[in-house]
Amino acid sequence: MSPLKSSARIRNLAIELGLGAYTDPLRAILVHCEKQVRAVLQEFPHCVTPSQLLDALANKLGTRFEVVKTDAELRQLRKRYLDRGEKGFVRLEEELGSPDIYGITIKLKQREFWEPDYVSVIDCRGDKAYKENYTKWHEVGHLLILTDNSRTTFRRTHCGTTDVQEPEEALVEVIAGKFAFWSEMIRAHVTEAASFELIEEIRQKVAPEASRQSALIGIVKAWPEPLLLVRAELGLRKSEERAVRQGTFGFDEAPQPLLRAVHVSASDSAKDRSFTIHQNMRVPEGSVIYRVFEARSGSETAAEDLSSWESSDGTKLLPTKVAVSARFSWEGVDALIAPRRA
């Protein structure tokens, strides 16, 4: 179960949004967001891609994106708003100076009647440029769950690299991921079995501004059929990681990392059918994923069975015939895994 479902902050947020004390506040909030998105699509029926939807949502939710790509642009932006009495921009350079802060949404106090209520500053300096689309969706996600109580004091930032997130930041990440690659806008482009080539083709059609990695994860999650994206890298078992951090092992006793499924992303259809590979499971040596990793290059496909996957306690996955496509990338392997078609 997602920790967000049991988070007190998420439960309180659902109540603040007028959704009641649901047993699953996460689902209630996502439904609340989806209603807003569908209302915008009814008003703007021309929106057929996530990028068009993003612009329409930003307009409807009352924000304007200000994208800064250089230090000079950031200073100019800050000065422009300070000159008109917007004190919320005083610490803008300092806040965006953090490597973990990618965007800030600020409520305007001195706006003209025709201006939107908010300005969302998107930091695209240096390496942050690769997350421009993600950052825009993240800021819109905050506005989708903005409560009446916070409208006068709203000021949100989000962190893109920290391991431990506040519940609301984690929630916004879920919201952004859901609608940046909304399944209803992806489904029409699924014309054949999943492949890296088809996913890239879909990205270019519906969200060319998105990074390849974020699109890969987002489109897999939106896939209408059961599909897993496994990122395999060398790693330790969780118990071994804890022991290493605590210094329990001596130098000669230190465990050796093995190829593991360090990240697993699943489509909703896969989740509904309990089609999964558990995170951090060891990759079987007979798998094409292992072979591609050993080769340190290239790509390969193979027909396999999930029963070859075994956890450290000896538990095996249920027998399931699957098609696996694996490719080497950045010292690891990305693999698409789907039930084999008859």
Side-chain angles (χ1 to χ4, degrees), residues 278-307:
H278 305 304
Q279 189 162 311
N280 221 41
M281 286 191 83
R282 188 173 62 250
V283 177
E285 292 187 9
S287 173
V288 64
I289 301 172
Y290 196 94
R291 292 200 299 274
V292 169
F293 181 78
E294 288 290 289
R296 293 295 198 279
S297 66
S299 60
E300 192 175 340
T301 61
E304 298 182 9
D305 197 298
L306 289 187
S307 60

Side-chain angles (χ1 to χ4, degrees), residues 121-333:
V121 183
I122 311 300
D123 190 356
C124 289
R125 295 173 298 165
D127 290 341
K128 290 183 178 181
Y130 296 107
K131 289 196 174 184
E132 177 179 349
N133 185 66
Y134 162 86
T135 305
K136 288 179 177 179
W137 273 106
H138 201 106
E139 300 307 314
V140 164
H142 273 301
L143 289 168
L144 283 169
I145 59 172
L146 186 61
T147 66
D148 289 336
N149 290 337
S150 59
R151 287 190 183 278
T152 59
T153 59
F154 176 66
R155 182 185 179 90
R156 299 292 186 190
T157 65
H158 73 271
C159 301
T161 59
T162 52
D163 293 330
V164 179
Q165 291 179 305
E166 293 294 327
E168 193 165 322
E169 285 296 319
L171 169 64
V172 169
E173 193 159 302
V174 172
I175 294 169
K178 178 179 177 66
F179 296 111
F181 301 97
W182 199 17
S183 59
E184 295 189 14
M185 292 180 167
I186 301 298
R187 192 177 300 133
H189 300 279
V190 178
T191 56
E192 56 190 68
S195 66
F196 290 111
E197 293 76 17
L198 177 58
I199 290 174
E200 173 59 16
E201 183 180 312
I202 293 173
R203 183 192 74 85
Q204 292 179 6
K205 287 180 179 178
V206 304
E209 67 285 346
S211 70
R212 285 181 170 81
Q213 189 62 25
S214 66
L216 176 60
I217 296 171
I219 293 173
V220 164
K221 289 182 176 180
W223 205 258
E225 299 174 350
L227 181 64
L228 302 177
L229 171 64
V230 171
R231 174 63 182 177
E233 297 176 358
L234 291 176
L236 302 174
R237 288 185 295 175
K238 295 301 181 185
S239 59
E240 293 173 334
E241 289 179 352
R242 287 194 298 270
V244 169
R245 286 197 299 268
Q246 295 167 2
T248 304
F249 290 109
F251 180 79
D252 295 332
E253 301 172 321
Q256 295 301 307
L258 300 173
L259 189 63
R260 297 182 181 277
V262 295
H263 298 292
V264 180
S265 301
S267 66
D268 287 339
S269 179
K271 293 176 182 176
D272 291 342
R273 302 186 192 185
S274 298
F275 176 68
T276 189
I277 287 174
H278 305 304
Q279 189 162 311
N280 221 41
M281 286 191 83
R282 188 173 62 250
V283 177
E285 292 187 9
S287 173
V288 64
I289 301 172
Y290 196 94
R291 292 200 299 274
V292 169
F293 181 78
E294 288 290 289
R296 293 295 198 279
S297 66
S299 60
E300 192 175 340
T301 61
E304 298 182 9
D305 197 298
L306 289 187
S307 60
S308 64
W309 288 73
E310 183 177 347
S311 62
S312 56
D313 64 3
T315 304
K316 293 185 177 182
L317 295 179
L318 294 175
T320 307
K321 297 183 182 302
V322 295
V324 183
S325 298
R327 69 178 184 187
F328 190 78
S329 172
W330 295 96
E331 299 304 314
V333 176

